C-alpha cells in the first residue's frame, strides 16, 4: 500500500469505527426506549389451552407455509444473482438517460422477482384456501399482485431517482445522504398511510369510540382516528393495526374482528394493545430502526457497486438490488426481534390498562384458532417470520401479569 | 386485395345533405346480398377445405359482395361522390382490386374464423357498423364511436360548407374501408393474405406534409419480451408523473390562452413547457401502447425517443381562433378519442405478437404511430402549442 493510500485509509477507518460506535449507541438507546418489565415467563403447555387436533392442524398448516417461504426466498436470491450478473444488458432497452435507465433496471429486477414468486404465491393461496383461511380467487390474487407491483414501481422509481441523483452529485459519501432522504420519505409514507388503506370506514359504534378515548387517557396516547377495514371477502382471520404519525395516528380494526364472535371485552383488549403502540410512539421508533438498518445497507451498496462504476451508473443497479434484498433477508430476523419487543410492550400496556389477563388469554386463543396460527412454532420459523411474540408467549405474559398483581 | 382511390374530393351539397337517405336503397340491397353471401361463404369454406382453392364462381360472387359493400359504405360515409351501382362492378372512385382465386393453406382455411378474430376486433374500432347513424343510436355515448363514423360526421359538416371533402378525413375513411374490405375478404376466403393495418400502404400515394407539429418514427420494430410482459406496470411511474404534469399543464394552458389573447403570441418559455408536455405524453403513450420499444425519459426532451415529436416555435395565431379554441378543438378531441380506442386494440394485439415473436408487426406499429400523431396534434392544438388543425389522414412527414 502506498503512503498516500495509507494516509487516506486511516481517517476512513477511523470514521468507520466512530460511525459503528455511534450506530451501536443509537441501537441500544432505541432498544431501551421500548420498556418491558423483566418477567420470568412461566413455561405453559400448549395442550392445556388448545386441543391436540388444533395443534396438529396449525403446525401442519404453518410448517408448509414456512417451508414454502424459505423455498421462495432461495428462489428470489437465485434469480437476483442471475439478474445481477446479466441485468446490465437491459440498459439498451432504455432511452431515459442515466437515472431513468436506473429506474428501469430496478423495476425489471423487481418484475423478475415477482415472476419468480408467482408460483409460490399461488401454492400458498391454494394451501390457505384448503385450510379455509383465505377465500381469495386465484385470478384476483394475480391481478391484485400485479397492480401492487405497479404501485411498488412508483415508489421504487422515486427511491432510485433520489439515490442515483445523490450518487451522481456526491462522490464518495453519497450513501450517508441517502439514509435521511429515505427516512424522510418513509416518514411521509407513514404519515399518509392511514389514508392509503383500501375499504376503510369510520367506526360509528359510540361505545367502542368511548372506550378508545378512555384507553387513550389511561395509556397516555394521542387522540387517534378509529377505522374499520372490510376484509371478510378475502379472509376470516381477525387483525388490527396502529399506524400514522401525530395528527394522522389511526387504529384500524378488521371487520373480521368486530363482527365475528369477539366479545366487547375482547375487542377492548385488542384496542388497548393498538393504543399502546401509539402511546409508545412505535410508528416513530420503526422509522428509527429503519434508519439504523438503512445505513449499513446503503454502505454495502456503495461498496459492491464500485466495480460497475458506482451507484451513479445504471449498470450497477442490478447489483444494488441484490445487495439490498440480501441485506434485508439477513436483517429480517434482527428486525423481528425489535418488533417482537414492541409487540410485547404493547401487550403489557393493554394488560395494565384493562386488568384483564383472562380476556387476553381468550383473545389469543381465538386469534390462533381463526388464523390457524401455530401457538408454539419451531425456533427457525419463529426467528425468520414472527414479528409478534408467539401465542403461547403472549398467554404466558398474561399469566405472569396475573402472578405479579398485588 | 388493394383499395383503389380515384375520388377528386368534390362534393355536391345537395347529395351530401341527403346522403343517408340516398344510401338507403343500396343498404337494403346490401343486406339482402349479405344473407346470400353468408350461405355462399359456408359452401365456399367447405369447398376450399376440400379443394385447397376457392371455386371461381363462389370466389367471384364473394369478391363482388366485398367490393359492393366497400362502394356503398364509401358513398354513405362521403369518401366518394357518385351513386354506386347495384351490382358491385369495378370502376367506382373508391374500389377494391381483388386477385383471382389462389391455392390456400387448408389449416388456415379450417381455422379462418378464429384467425380473423384479431382483425375483426381492429376493424370494429376502425369502422364500427360502417353506419354513423346506426352507431350513434347503438352506442348512446357509452362506447364512443368508431373512427370512420366520426370522420364521416365531421366530413359531412365540412362538405356542406366547402362543397368538397377534406383530404385528411377522406383518406382516413378510405383507410378504414380498406382495412374492413381486407378483413372481410380474408374471412370470406376471397384472399388468404392477412389484413394489413399499415395506413402508409393502404390507399396509394400519400401527401407529404410539413406540419408545425409532426412526428418522426425511427423505431426498429424489435421489442424486448421482458419489457413487453411488464409494459403496463413499467408505465405506472410515468402515468403518475404524467398526471401530475398534466395538472400543471392545464393551468399553464389557461395562462397561455390569456397571454396569447392579450399579447398575440405565446412566450417562449411557456411554449417550450407545453411542447415538452405534449412530447412527453407522446413518449409515454408510445411506450405504453408498444409503438416504441425503449423506456422513455421523464422530461419529454427532444431527440431522445424513436417516436419523436417535432414542434415548431410559437406562431402568431388568429385571435378569434384562440378565443374559441376549446370549442374548435372538440371535433379533434372526439376523433382523438376514437383513435385512442384503436390504439388500445393495437396495444393488446401488439402485446401478444411482440411477446411471441420479439417484434412489433409493422402494420400495427404504423397504425399506432398514426393514431399517436393525431392525438399529439390534437393536444398541441388544444393547448395552443400550434394553430394548425390536426391532420386526420395518413401522410408522409417531410
Amino acid at each position: 500500500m502506498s503512503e498516500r493510500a495509507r494516509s487516506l485509509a486511516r481517517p476512513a477507518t477511523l470514521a468507520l469505527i466512530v460511525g459503528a460506535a455511534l450506530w451501536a449507541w443509537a441501537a441500544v438507546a432505541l432498544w431501551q426506549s421500548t420498556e418491558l418489565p423483566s418477567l420470568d415467563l412461566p413455561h405453559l403447555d400448549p395442550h392445556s389451552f388448545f386441543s391436540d387436533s388444533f395443534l396438529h392442524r396449525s403446525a401442519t398448516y404453518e410448517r408448509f407455509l414456512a417451508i414454502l417461504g424459505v423455498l421462495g426466498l432461495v428462489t428470489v436470491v437465485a434469480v437476483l444473482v442471475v439478474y445481477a450478473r446479466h441485468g446490465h444488458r437491459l440498459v439498451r432497452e432504455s432511452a431515459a438517460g442515466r437515472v431513468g435507465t436506473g429506474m428501469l433496471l430496478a423495476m425489471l429486477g423487481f418484475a423478475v422477482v415477482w415472476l419468480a414468486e408467482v408460483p409460490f404465491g399461488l401454492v400458498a393461496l391454494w394451501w390457505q384456501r384448503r385450510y379455509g383461511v383465505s377465500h381469495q380467487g386465484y385470478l384476483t390474487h394475480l391481478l391484485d399482485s400485479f397492480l401492487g407491483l405497479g404501485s411498488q414501481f412508483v415508489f421504487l422509481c422515486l427511491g432510485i431517482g433520489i439515490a442515483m441523483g445523490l450518487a451522481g452529485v456526491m462522490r464518495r459519501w453519497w450513501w450517508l445522504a441517502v439514509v435521511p432522504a429515505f427516512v424522510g420519505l418513509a416518514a411521509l409514507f407513514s404519515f399518509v398511510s392511514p389514508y392509503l388503506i383500501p375499504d376503510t370506514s369510520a367506526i360509528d359504534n359510540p361505545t367502542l369510540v368511548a372506550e378508545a378515548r378512555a384507553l387513550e387517557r389511561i395509556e397516555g396516547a394521542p387522540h387517534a382516528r378509529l377505522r374499520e377495514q372490510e376484509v371478510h371477502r378475502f379472509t376470516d382471520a381477525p387483525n388490527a393495526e396502529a399506524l400514522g404519525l401525530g395528527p394522522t395516528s389511526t387504529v384500524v380494526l378488521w371487520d373480521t374482528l368486530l363482527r365475528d364472535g369477539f366479545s366487547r371485552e375482547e375487542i377492548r383488549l385488542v384496542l388497548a394493545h393498538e393504543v399502546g403502540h401509539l402511546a409508545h410512539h412505535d410508528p416513530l421508533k420503526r422509522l428509527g430502526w429503519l434508519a439504523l438498518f438503512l445505513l449499513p445497507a446503503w454502505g454495502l451498496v456503495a461498496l459492491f457497486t464500485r466495480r460497475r462504476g458506482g451507484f451513479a451508473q445504471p449498470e450497477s443497479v442490478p447489483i444494488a438490488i441484490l445487495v439490498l434484498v440480501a441485506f434485508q433477508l439477513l436483517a429480517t430476523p434482527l428486525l423481528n426481534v425489535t418488533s417482537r419487543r414492541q409487540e410485547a410492550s404493547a401487550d403489557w400496556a393493554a394488560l395494565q390498562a384493562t386488568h384483564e389477563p383472562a380476556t387476553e388469554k381468550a383473545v389469543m386463543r381465538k386469534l390462533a384458532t381463526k388464523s390457524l396460527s401455530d401457538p408454539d412454532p419451531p425456533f427457525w420459523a419463529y426467528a425468520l417470520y414472527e414479528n409478534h411474540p408467539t401465542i403461547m408467549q403472549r398467554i404466558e405474559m398474561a399469566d405472569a401479569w396475573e402472578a405479579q398483581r398485588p | 386485395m388493394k383499395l383503389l382511390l380515384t375520388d377528386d374530393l368534390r362534393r355536391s351539397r345537395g347529395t351530401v345533405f341527403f346522403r343517408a337517405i340516398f344510401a338507403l336503397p343500396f343498404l337494403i340491397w346490401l343486406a339482402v346480398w349479405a344473407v346470400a353471401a353468408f350461405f355462399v361463404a359456408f359452401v365456399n369454406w367447405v369447398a376450399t377445405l376440400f379443394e385447397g382453392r376457392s371455386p371461381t364462381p363462389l370466389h367471384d360472387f364473394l369478391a363482388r359482395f366485398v367490393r359492393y359493400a366497400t362502394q356503398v359504405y364509401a358513398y354513405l360515409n362521403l369518401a366518394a361522390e357518385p351513386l354506386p351501382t347495384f351490382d358491385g362492378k369495378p370502376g367506382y372512385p373508391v374500389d377494391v382490386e381483388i386477385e383471382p382465386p389462389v391455392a390456400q393453406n387448408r389449416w388456415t382455411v379450417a381455422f379462418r374464423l378464429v384467425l380473423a378474430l384479431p382483425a375483426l376486433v381492429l376493424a370494429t374500432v376502425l369502422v364500427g357498423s360502417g353506419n354513423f347513424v346506426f352507431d350513434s343510436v347503438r352506442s348512446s355515448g357509452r362506447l364512443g364511436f368508431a373512427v370512420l363514423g366520426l370522420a364521416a360526421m365531421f366530413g359531412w359538416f365540412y362538405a356542406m360548407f366547402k362543397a368538397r371533402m377534406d383530404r385528411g378525413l377522406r383518406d382516413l375513411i378510405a383507410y378504414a374501408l380498406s382495412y374492413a374490405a381486407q378483413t372481410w375478404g380474408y374471412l370470406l376466403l376471397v384472399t388468404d393474405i392477412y389484413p394489413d393495418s399499415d395506413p402508409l400502404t393502404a390507399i396509394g400515394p400519400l401527401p407529404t406534409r410539413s406540419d408545425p407539429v409532426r412526428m418522426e418514427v425511427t423505431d426498429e420494430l424489435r421489442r424486448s419480451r421482458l419489457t413487453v410482459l411488464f409494459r403496463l406496470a413499467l408505465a405506472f411511474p410515468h402515468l403518475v408523473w404524467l398526471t401530475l404534469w398534466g395538472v400543471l399543464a392545464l393551468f399553464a394552458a389557461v395562462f397561455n390562452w390569456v397571454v396569447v389573447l392579450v399579447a398575440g403570441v405565446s412566450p417562449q418559455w411557456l411554449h417550450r413547457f407545453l411542447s415538452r408536455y405534449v412530447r412527453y405524453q407522446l413518449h409515454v403513450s408510445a411506450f405504453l401502447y408498444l409503438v416504441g420499444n425503449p423506456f422513455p425519459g421523464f422530461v419529454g426532451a427532444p431527440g431522445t425517443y424513436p417516436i419523436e415529436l417535432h414542434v415548431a416555435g410559437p406562431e402568431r395565431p388568429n385571435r378569434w381562433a384562440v378565443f374559441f379554441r376549446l370549442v374548435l378543438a372538440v371535433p379533434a378531441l372526439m376523433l382523438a378519442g376514437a383513435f385512442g380506442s384503436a390504439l388500445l386494440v393495437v396495444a393488446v394485439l401488439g402485446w401478444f405478437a411482440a411477446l411471441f415473436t420479439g417484434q412489433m408487426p409493422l402494420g400495427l406499429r404504423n397504425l399506432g404511430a398514426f393514431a399517436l400523431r393525431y392525438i399529439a396534434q390534437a393536444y398541441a392544438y388544444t393547448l395552443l402549442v400550434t394553430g394548425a388543425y390536426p391532420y386526420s389522414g395518413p401522410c408522409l412527414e417531410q
Side-chain angles (χ1 to χ4, degrees):
Chain A
M1 190 186 275
S2 70
E3 192 56 38
R4 181 177 155 72
R6 229 175 270 148
S7 67
L8 279 173
R10 252 180 244 134
T13 312
L14 196 66
L16 215 61
I17 291 169
V18 173
L22 280 173
W23 189 94
W25 172 80
V28 169
L30 203 52
W31 175 263
Q32 287 175 343
S33 70
T34 300
E35 289 174 11
L36 194 61
S38 50
L39 295 167
D40 191 16
L41 294 183
H43 185 74
L44 301 176
D45 182 7
H47 292 89
S48 323
F49 296 89
F50 299 96
S51 67
D52 285 351
S53 65
F54 173 78
L55 288 173
H56 176 71
R57 193 174 148 80
S58 62
T60 312
Y61 171 74
E62 289 224 320
R63 195 185 316 122
F64 180 84
L65 287 180
I67 292 170
L68 194 69
V70 171
L71 288 176
L73 290 181
V74 171
T75 310
V76 164
V77 171
V79 162
L80 282 178
V81 167
V82 175
Y83 188 66
R85 283 178 69 90
H86 305 293
H88 63 279
R89 292 179 194 163
L90 291 163
V91 163
R92 68 179 181 154
E93 306 302 341
S94 171
R98 183 176 66 83
V99 176
T101 305
M103 291 174 181
L104 174 70
L105 262 59
M107 287 192 287
L108 287 176
F110 277 76
V112 172
V113 165
W114 179 84
L115 209 57
E117 282 178 334
V118 162
F120 296 98
L122 290 176
V123 172
L125 181 62
W126 163 75
W127 192 249
Q128 288 163 349
R129 285 166 61 101
R130 187 184 150 105
Y131 277 82
V133 175
S134 175
H135 311 309
Q136 200 177 30
Y138 294 104
L139 202 64
T140 315
H141 169 80
L142 271 180
L143 202 66
D144 283 357
S145 160
F146 186 78
L147 291 176
L149 184 72
S151 332
Q152 193 185 350
F153 282 178
V154 175
F155 292 101
L156 187 66
C157 281
L158 190 63
I160 292 288
I162 290 170
M164 285 188 76
L166 286 170
V169 177
M170 304 167 71
R171 295 189 60 182
R172 200 175 159 86
W173 299 99
W174 61 270
W175 54 279
L176 287 175
V178 164
V179 176
F182 272 48
V183 172
L185 266 183
L188 179 68
F189 184 73
S190 183
F191 186 79
V192 300
S193 59
Y195 299 99
L196 303 178
I197 299 176
D199 303 322
T200 61
S201 56
I203 290 178
D204 50 10
N205 180 340
T207 317
L208 195 60
V209 174
E211 280 178 344
R213 300 294 161 246
L215 287 168
E216 283 164 7
R217 275 194 302 278
I218 295 167
E219 298 188 54
H223 179 90
R225 297 159 71 240
L226 272 184
R227 309 285 292 176
E228 175 184 348
Q229 188 181 6
E230 192 184 303
V231 296
H232 68 269
R233 280 173 295 151
F234 312 112
T235 179
D236 287 335
N239 203 357
E241 59 182 328
L243 63 171
L245 289 176
T248 68
S249 295
T250 305
V251 172
V252 177
L253 303 174
W254 284 13
D255 61 347
T256 43
L257 176 80
L258 293 174
R259 297 167 187 189
D260 213 5
F262 282 84
S263 68
R264 212 191 99 202
E265 290 74 23
E266 288 166 346
I267 294 171
R268 182 167 171 263
L269 194 117
V270 174
L271 203 52
H273 171 92
E274 300 305 333
V275 170
H277 277 307
L278 295 178
H280 301 162
H281 305 291
D282 284 343
L284 208 58
K285 285 178 192 167
R286 274 176 225 144
L287 289 175
W289 285 113
L290 177 74
L292 282 180
F293 277 83
L294 279 179
L295 210 58
W298 281 102
L300 287 173
V301 167
L303 191 68
F304 279 96
T305 52
R306 273 188 197 163
R307 48 183 276 229
R308 288 238 176 109
F311 192 65
Q313 300 307 317
E315 288 85 354
S316 68
V317 168
I319 291 179
I321 292 174
L322 173 65
V323 171
L324 287 173
V325 171
F327 184 85
Q328 191 203 354
L329 291 180
L330 294 174
T332 298
L334 293 177
L335 280 167
N336 282 346
V337 172
T338 67
S339 170
R340 286 198 293 263
R341 185 175 169 84
Q342 288 179 353
E343 295 297 335
S345 177
D347 273 350
W348 188 258
L351 287 166
Q352 294 281 53
T354 59
H355 294 189
E356 287 179 15
T359 311
E360 168 84 3
K361 289 178 192 173
V363 167
M364 290 306 140
R365 286 175 67 175
K366 275 191 185 171
L367 281 178
T369 314
K370 285 182 182 286
S371 313
L372 209 56
S373 311
D374 186 353
D376 197 15
F379 179 76
W380 65 271
Y382 172 70
L384 260 180
Y385 299 116
E386 295 293 342
N387 52 16
H388 283 60
T390 66
I391 295 287
M392 283 315 296
Q393 285 173 339
R394 298 174 89 170
I395 290 175
E396 286 161 3
M397 179 184 268
D399 220 48
W401 186 89
E402 207 168 12
Q404 61 97 61
R405 188 162 54 172
Chain B
M1 288 180 72
K2 191 166 174 53
L3 192 95
L4 301 172
L5 190 59
T6 52
D7 168 64
D8 63 0
L9 296 173
R10 276 185 297 182
R11 300 287 181 270
S12 145
R13 287 190 176 93
T15 66
V16 167
F17 189 79
F18 293 108
R19 185 62 58 114
I21 295 169
F22 288 168
L24 211 53
F26 299 97
L27 288 168
I28 292 168
W29 180 231
L30 182 65
V32 173
W33 207 342
V35 174
F38 175 78
F39 293 105
V40 172
F42 181 72
V43 175
N44 189 38
W45 181 68
V46 175
T48 313
L49 261 182
F50 276 96
E51 293 194 14
R53 168 195 300 266
S54 187
T56 306
L58 300 181
H59 172 272
D60 287 351
F61 177 83
L62 292 169
R64 200 167 263 233
F65 168 68
V66 171
R67 189 182 298 119
Y68 178 64
T70 306
Q71 292 171 358
V72 170
Y73 283 121
Y75 177 73
L76 174 69
N77 292 294
L78 300 160
E81 175 65 0
L83 281 170
T85 56
F86 281 91
D87 54 6
K89 267 189 191 159
Y92 194 68
V94 177
D95 206 356
V96 188
E97 190 180 59
I98 299 173
E99 298 286 321
V102 290
Q104 299 196 30
N105 181 313
R106 284 189 172 86
W107 283 108
T108 68
V109 171
F111 295 102
R112 187 58 57 98
L113 189 60
V114 180
L115 292 171
L117 273 178
L120 283 169
V121 173
L122 188 53
T124 303
V125 292
L126 288 176
V127 178
S129 70
N131 184 336
F132 175 73
V133 180
F134 178 72
D135 277 353
S136 62
V137 172
R138 190 185 54 168
S139 72
S140 307
R142 276 182 293 112
L143 298 170
F145 299 111
V147 172
L148 177 124
L150 278 176
M153 182 175 78
F154 300 138
W156 187 87
F157 285 105
Y158 188 92
M160 286 304 296
F161 276 102
K162 298 244 181 176
R164 56 185 288 113
M165 187 64 174
D166 174 66
R167 167 87 193 255
L169 291 173
R170 195 278 314 269
D171 285 356
L172 178 59
I173 294 167
Y175 161 68
L177 289 174
S178 159
Y179 190 75
Q182 290 181 67
T183 305
W184 282 103
Y186 181 72
L187 181 68
L188 299 174
L189 302 170
V190 171
T191 177
D192 68 340
I193 297 170
Y194 205 80
D196 180 7
S197 57
D198 191 348
L200 300 181
T201 55
I203 56 168
L206 296 173
T208 302
R209 296 178 61 88
S210 179
D211 293 308
V213 175
R214 63 189 179 83
M215 202 172 77
E216 185 188 354
V217 180
T218 52
D219 169 66
E220 52 178 355
L221 296 177
R222 184 189 67 80
R223 296 290 179 269
S224 148
R225 287 187 174 91
L226 185 63
T227 67
V228 167
L229 181 64
F230 290 102
R231 191 58 62 113
L232 179 63
L234 291 172
F236 256 55
H238 275 298
L239 294 175
V240 171
W241 182 236
L242 186 66
T243 307
L244 295 174
W245 199 347
V247 173
L248 204 60
L250 185 70
F251 288 109
V254 174
F255 181 63
N256 194 28
W257 182 72
V258 176
V259 171
V260 176
L261 272 181
V262 174
V265 67
S266 266
Q268 275 285 356
W269 64 271
L270 201 52
H271 180 267
R272 207 164 37 238
F273 174 78
L274 290 169
S275 302
R276 277 208 172 212
Y277 170 70
V278 176
R279 188 180 297 110
Y280 177 60
Q281 183 267 336
L282 175 85
H283 288 175
V284 173
S285 303
F287 177 70
L288 177 63
Y289 294 108
L290 295 154
V291 179
N293 179 50
F295 186 72
F298 282 80
V299 291
T304 58
Y305 205 70
I307 309 294
E308 186 53 48
L309 195 72
H310 298 284
V311 183
E315 316 149 357
R316 235 170 224 289
N318 179 316
R319 278 193 170 87
W320 284 111
V322 171
F323 187 77
F324 291 108
R325 180 58 53 98
L326 208 54
V327 179
L328 292 170
V330 167
L333 291 173
M334 283 174 73
L335 199 50
F339 270 117
S341 306
L343 206 50
L344 188 65
V345 176
V346 164
V348 173
L349 299 181
W351 189 81
F352 285 104
L355 206 57
F356 281 101
T357 65
Q359 292 256 324
M360 185 70 174
L362 178 69
L364 283 179
R365 197 282 309 273
N366 283 353
L367 170 57
F370 171 37
L372 283 177
R373 192 256 295 159
Y374 186 84
I375 292 169
Q377 286 182 340
Y379 284 164
Y381 180 75
T382 310
L383 297 174
L384 294 163
V385 171
T386 178
Y389 208 77
Y391 182 71
S392 51
C395 65
L396 303 172
E397 306 281 354
Q398 202 168 46

